[in-house]
Each structure stands twice: as structure tokens, then as C-alpha cells.
Amino acid sequence: MAYELGKDWRVYVGDGGGTEVFSALGGEGSFDFQRSSNEIDPSTKDDSDYALANFGLMKIAISVSGNVKLPDTALERLMDKAKHATDKTTNIQIKDGTIVKYAGEVAVGGNGITAGKDGAVSYSFTLVASAAPTTDDMAATA
């Protein structure tokens, strides 16, 4: 069993074409993949002295940040989607080499640019699943 290295996991952004081509997001520094769901209390007065619990629908949020390296078609696509008034969705993949760990449509928001006087210009985005993913297997090995 081998350790996974974060440097090997990359975010790829689709170009929106009919036969979609995915490009690695240039300058990527890190991403944070979070799955969450609201807790549901289905208990009633009839059940017992214990509150029951379960979880509801999943929300997937991916926060990605890095340093701007131009030209970069993937970064440009995310920037365009983040500022678009009505169509904020695009397809992404998270891959470890050729292994697709996650693939699906996301809405792009939370875009920020930081340009300090003593460093690289950096970017950040928040991506949220806007449709059920077509691939959702972060533990995939093949």
C-alpha cells in the first residue's frame, strides 16, 4: 500500500466542446474536496428516549487555489464562468495521472485574485457540484 501524494492529484477543466477536452488547471497549488450533508432527525414521540439521526443529500464543494501562469485555457474558462450571469457551470475532472477520481458538472463561484507586491499573483475558486457526478471514487486505483 503506497501513500498518495497531493502533487499527483490535479484538477482538469473541460472546454465545453461536443467531444470535451480537459486541460490541467495551470499553477495549481492545492485543492480541498469536501463532502457534506445535513443531519436529519426522523425521531418522534413514539420512538423511545433516544433521538434518531441520519444524513440527507450530499453537497460537494471543491476549493482550489494556485498561482497565475498565463496563458492557461483552464484558468480562463473558470474565470469566465465565475463572472457569467446565467451560465456558471462547466465540467471538471480530478485525476491522479490517468486515473479519474471525480468527474462532473460544477458551478463556479467564489473567484478571487490576490496580487501582492512581493509574490506571485494567485487565484482561488469555489466549485460546487451542480449535477450528480459521473465518476465519484476518490479511492480509485485504476
Side-chain angles (χ1 to χ4, degrees):
M1 187 179 317
Y3 290 104
E4 293 286 320
L5 300 176
K7 69 179 185 66
D8 296 332
W9 289 39
R10 300 289 307 271
V11 173
Y12 288 75
V13 180
D15 66 0
T19 303
E20 198 150 29
V21 175
F22 288 84
S23 301
L25 182 57
E28 182 186 327
S30 66
F31 71 85
D32 184 41
F33 181 95
Q34 293 293 321
R35 185 186 312 274
S36 63
S37 57
N38 292 329
E39 190 173 308
I40 297 171
D41 179 358
S43 57
T44 68
K45 293 178 184 179
D46 299 328
D47 293 329
S48 71
D49 293 336
Y50 297 93
L52 306 176
N54 205 331
F55 288 99
L57 300 174
M58 288 181 283
K59 176 182 179 182
I60 294 174
I62 304 160
S63 301
V64 62
S65 61
N67 293 329
V68 175
K69 294 173 81 175
L70 299 176
D72 182 353
T73 57
L75 178 61
E76 185 175 353
R77 179 139 173 96
L78 290 181
M79 288 182 161
D80 288 346
K81 290 295 183 174
K83 67 184 177 186
H84 200 282
T86 56
D87 181 14
K88 293 191 170 293
T89 62
T90 192
N91 290 313
I92 67 156
Q93 295 178 338
I94 295 174
K95 295 169 45 172
D96 174 8
T98 60
I99 302 167
V100 178
K101 305 270 191 176
Y102 181 88
E105 182 185 272
V106 295
V108 183
N111 170 232
I113 298 288
T114 302
K117 71 178 186 80
D118 291 327
V121 174
S122 62
Y123 62 80
S124 63
F125 292 93
T126 301
L127 312 173
V128 294
S130 55
T134 55
T135 301
D136 186 5
D137 188 1
M138 297 305 262
T141 58

Coordinates of all heavy atoms in Angstrom, one line a residue, residues 7 18-19 24 26 31 34-35 38-39 48 51 53 57 59 64 67 71 80 87 109 114-115 132:
K7 N 0.7 16.3 -4.9 CA 1.2 16.9 -6.1 C 0.8 16.1 -7.4 O 0.8 16.6 -8.5 CB 2.7 17.0 -6.1 CG 3.5 15.7 -6.2 CD 5.0 15.8 -6.1 CE 5.7 14.5 -6.3 NZ 5.5 13.9 -7.6
G18 N -18.3 19.6 -27.9 CA -19.1 18.4 -28.0 C -18.4 17.2 -27.6 O -18.9 16.3 -26.9
T19 N -17.2 17.0 -28.1 CA -16.3 16.0 -27.5 C -15.3 16.7 -26.6 O -14.3 17.3 -27.1 CB -15.5 15.3 -28.7 OG1 -16.4 14.7 -29.6 CG2 -14.6 14.2 -28.2
A24 N -5.4 20.5 -17.7 CA -5.0 20.7 -16.3 C -5.0 22.2 -16.0 O -4.6 23.1 -16.8 CB -3.6 20.2 -16.1
G26 N -3.5 25.3 -14.7 CA -2.1 25.7 -14.6 C -1.9 26.4 -13.2 O -2.8 27.0 -12.7
F31 N -6.0 21.9 -3.7 CA -7.5 22.0 -3.7 C -7.9 21.2 -2.5 O -7.2 20.4 -1.9 CB -8.1 21.4 -5.0 CG -7.9 19.9 -5.2 CD1 -8.9 19.0 -4.7 CD2 -6.9 19.4 -6.0 CE1 -8.7 17.7 -4.8 CE2 -6.8 18.0 -6.2 CZ -7.7 17.2 -5.6
Q34 N -14.5 18.7 -0.3 CA -15.4 18.4 0.9 C -16.7 17.9 0.5 O -17.4 18.4 -0.4 CB -15.6 19.7 1.7 CG -14.3 20.3 2.3 CD -13.8 19.3 3.4 OE1 -14.5 18.8 4.2 NE2 -12.5 19.2 3.4
R35 N -17.2 16.9 1.2 CA -18.5 16.3 1.0 C -19.2 16.5 2.3 O -18.7 16.2 3.4 CB -18.4 14.8 0.7 CG -19.6 14.1 0.4 CD -19.4 12.6 0.3 NE -18.3 12.2 -0.5 CZ -18.3 12.1 -1.8 NH1 -19.4 12.3 -2.5 NH2 -17.2 11.7 -2.5
N38 N -26.7 17.5 5.5 CA -27.4 18.0 6.7 C -27.8 16.8 7.5 O -28.2 15.8 6.9 CB -28.6 18.8 6.3 CG -28.2 20.2 5.7 OD1 -27.1 20.7 6.1 ND2 -29.0 20.7 4.8
E39 N -27.8 16.9 8.8 CA -28.3 15.9 9.7 C -29.8 15.9 9.7 O -30.4 17.0 9.8 CB -27.7 16.0 11.0 CG -28.0 14.9 12.0 CD -27.2 15.0 13.3 OE1 -26.0 15.2 13.3 OE2 -27.9 14.9 14.3
S48 N -38.8 6.3 21.4 CA -38.2 5.9 22.6 C -37.6 7.2 23.2 O -37.9 8.3 22.9 CB -37.1 4.9 22.4 OG -35.9 5.5 21.7
A51 N -33.1 10.3 20.5 CA -33.2 11.0 19.2 C -32.5 10.1 18.2 O -31.4 9.6 18.4 CB -32.6 12.4 19.3
A53 N -31.0 9.8 14.2 CA -30.3 10.7 13.2 C -30.0 9.9 12.0 O -29.7 8.7 12.0 CB -29.1 11.3 13.9
L57 N -29.2 14.7 1.7 CA -28.5 14.8 0.4 C -27.1 15.3 0.6 O -26.8 16.2 1.4 CB -29.3 15.7 -0.5 CG -30.7 15.2 -0.8 CD1 -31.4 16.2 -1.6 CD2 -30.7 13.9 -1.6
K59 N -23.7 17.4 -0.4 CA -23.2 18.6 -1.2 C -21.7 18.4 -1.3 O -21.0 18.0 -0.4 CB -23.4 19.8 -0.3 CG -22.9 21.1 -1.0 CD -23.1 22.3 -0.2 CE -22.5 23.5 -0.8 NZ -22.7 24.7 0.0
V64 N -10.2 25.5 -4.8 CA -9.0 25.4 -5.5 C -8.2 26.7 -5.5 O -8.8 27.8 -5.6 CB -9.2 24.8 -6.9 CG1 -10.0 25.7 -7.8 CG2 -7.9 24.5 -7.6
N67 N -1.2 29.7 -8.4 CA -0.5 30.9 -8.9 C -0.8 31.0 -10.4 O -0.8 30.0 -11.1 CB 1.0 30.8 -8.7 CG 1.3 30.9 -7.2 OD1 0.7 31.5 -6.4 ND2 2.4 30.2 -6.9
P71 N -0.3 31.8 -20.8 CA -1.7 31.6 -21.0 C -2.1 30.3 -20.4 O -1.3 29.3 -20.2 CB -1.8 31.5 -22.5 CG -0.5 31.1 -23.0 CD 0.5 31.6 -22.0
D80 N -14.1 33.0 -16.7 CA -15.3 33.4 -17.5 C -16.6 32.8 -16.8 O -17.6 33.6 -16.8 CB -15.2 32.8 -18.9 CG -14.1 33.6 -19.7 OD1 -13.7 34.6 -19.3 OD2 -13.7 33.0 -20.8
D87 N -24.8 31.4 -16.8 CA -24.3 30.0 -17.0 C -22.9 29.9 -16.3 O -21.9 30.2 -16.9 CB -24.1 29.8 -18.5 CG -23.5 28.4 -18.8 OD1 -23.5 27.5 -17.9 OD2 -23.1 28.1 -19.9
G109 N -17.9 29.7 -8.6 CA -18.1 30.9 -7.9 C -17.0 31.2 -7.0 O -15.9 30.6 -7.0
T114 N -5.3 37.6 -5.9 CA -4.5 38.3 -5.0 C -3.2 38.6 -5.7 O -2.5 37.8 -6.2 CB -4.2 37.5 -3.7 OG1 -5.4 37.1 -3.1 CG2 -3.3 38.2 -2.7
A115 N -2.9 39.9 -5.7 CA -1.7 40.4 -6.3 C -0.9 41.3 -5.4 O -1.0 42.5 -5.4 CB -2.0 41.2 -7.6
A132 N -25.4 15.4 -10.4 CA -24.7 14.2 -9.8 C -23.5 13.9 -10.6 O -23.5 14.0 -11.9 CB -25.7 13.1 -9.9

